[in-house]
Amino acid sequence: MPQPPRPYVLSLAGFDPSGGAGLLADCKTFEQRGVYGFGVCTALTVQSDVQFERVQWMPLADIQAQARPLLERFGVGWAKIGLVESLAELPELLRWLRAQSPAIGVVWDPVLKASAGYDFHAGPAPELVAEVCTALALITPNQPEMRRLWPAAATAEEAAAVVSAYCSVLLKGGHAEGSEATDVLYQKGEEVARFSAARLPHGEKHGSGCVLSAAIVAGLARGESLVEACRSGKAYTARVLASNETLLGYHFQNEHEYAN
């Protein structure tokens, strides 16, 4: 019997030639997590896993032009947004995406700084954060990003709780201390779930945040609840982190593993 088609998902993200982050990492993750991933390039970067030299931004009109034929032809249920040039243009992009696909769900991984040290964005105004998040299903900041998105809060946890009044927030714990890295899901001002994995001696990976957010999008596209998608996405990311001792994680391990 023919297999049903995989769900379609869309990544709007930067192109990282190393393949560790951005579009390439997202599409590797989508494939292993059992969905079909489309990619729209928002930026061309010159970088490796340890060095960032420069970025060439794609104008909003070119981003829309790349996405339009895909959204017209395929039923894309979920999208992930990563690196973009202008946070002020995010509301316009989100409105445009919803005009093309009214039921589309969007997850934003707020890439504000490259892991190699390059700053892309200062903290946006709280009014902009509120406007953007109201149109999202989830954001997936790490602790420094969360503080930058909502600097009025005393801690990243407090900031996540405040912003979760606008959309769900998965606060990643990779920058915290301790033997385990714990991500915390906030909804409507409250902590609702925690997801932990052992902190590995060589577990640091270039683009791990991209992998996690893409894995969550894949889970949501496959019909998992948000809590289930965060849990399975965390488990998938943990396997990538444990895959080798370099900064570039391996995705393919076993052809049957994508179901988890």
Side-chain angles (χ1 to χ4, degrees), residues 33 138-140 168-170 183-185 193-195 212 215-217 219-220 224-237:
R33 290 275 287 150
L138 176 72
I139 62 171
T140 59
S168 299
V169 177
L170 182 67
D183 303 341
V184 184
L185 180 64
R194 286 178 168 250
F195 314 95
L212 176 60
I216 291 170
V217 166
L220 292 169
E224 296 177 1
S225 70
L226 181 57
V227 171
E228 291 169 340
C230 290
R231 181 176 293 113
S232 63
K234 177 78 169 179
Y236 177 82
T237 305

Side-chain angles (χ1 to χ4, degrees), residues 26-231:
D26 288 352
C27 287
K28 292 176 189 178
T29 302
F30 291 152
E31 187 70 15
Q32 289 293 19
R33 290 275 287 150
V35 298
Y36 192 95
F38 300 119
V40 167
C41 183
T42 60
L44 295 172
T45 69
V46 178
Q47 65 173 307
S48 69
D49 55 334
V50 296
Q51 180 182 10
F52 192 100
E53 295 185 12
R54 57 188 172 88
V55 58
Q56 177 182 337
W57 299 105
M58 295 292 108
L60 178 60
D62 289 350
I63 293 170
Q64 293 169 333
Q66 293 175 72
R68 183 179 292 108
L70 300 171
L71 296 172
E72 289 175 349
R73 177 166 169 74
F74 301 100
V76 178
W78 284 90
K80 170 199 162 173
I81 297 177
L83 178 63
V84 292
E85 177 182 16
S86 172
L87 299 185
E89 288 184 346
L90 262 182
E92 182 179 352
L93 176 58
L94 290 166
R95 286 191 294 269
W96 183 86
L97 284 172
R98 194 143 287 117
Q100 312 307 304
S101 300
I104 197 169
V106 183
V107 172
W108 179 35
D109 182 26
V111 181
L112 306 180
K113 184 176 182 179
S115 57
Y118 186 89
D119 264 312
F120 295 114
H121 300 292
E127 296 81 10
L128 177 59
V129 173
E131 181 181 5
V132 168
C133 289
T134 299
L136 299 171
L138 176 72
I139 62 171
T140 59
N142 58 35
Q143 293 199 357
E145 289 164 344
M146 192 71 253
R147 292 295 306 274
R148 191 176 290 196
L149 287 172
W150 206 265
T155 64
E157 291 78 10
E158 180 183 322
V162 171
V163 173
S164 71
Y166 305 106
C167 73
S168 299
V169 177
L170 182 67
L171 180 63
K172 296 178 292 193
H175 287 74
E177 301 294 329
S179 60
E180 292 190 331
T182 299
D183 303 341
V184 184
L185 180 64
Y186 294 84
Q187 293 179 309
K188 298 180 180 179
E190 301 290 337
E191 176 186 321
V192 297
R194 286 178 168 250
F195 314 95
S196 296
R199 199 180 299 275
L200 304 172
H202 302 283
E204 183 181 354
K205 292 289 180 287
H206 173 58
S208 57
C210 300
V211 172
L212 176 60
S213 54
I216 291 170
V217 166
L220 292 169
R222 286 169 37 202
E224 296 177 1
S225 70
L226 181 57
V227 171
E228 291 169 340
C230 290
R231 181 176 293 113

